[in-house]
Amino acid sequence: MRKLMLAMLAVTAVGAGVTAGSAPAAAYDYPWCAQGRGFGIPGDCSYQTYAQCMASASGRNLYCNINPRVAFGQAPRRGRAHRDYYYYN
């Protein structure tokens, strides 16, 4: 019983160490989005090329469109318009 508890503690410690040491994935807007039923706007924007997007959309009743965030750029953040009023995006 004691060996089992030590083994479980060791596995838990290794798992916690691996999880704590990993970096989160970087958010990146790719230029192509799969859009259609079940996806909101702009859709699933995880494709670097049109061919990748079309291959993923094939047979799923989806279509590919350019990512609006990439095409038109991010909207600039507004700062303080007046000293008493704040605008949050």
Side-chain angles (χ1 to χ4, degrees), residues 9-19:
L9 181 63
V11 169
T12 303
V14 168
V18 169
T19 303

Side-chain angles (χ1 to χ4, degrees), residues 31-48:
W32 295 100
C33 301
Q35 297 174 340
R37 181 176 288 193
F39 289 106
I41 298 297
D44 176 18
C45 300
S46 60
Y47 306 102
Q48 294 178 350

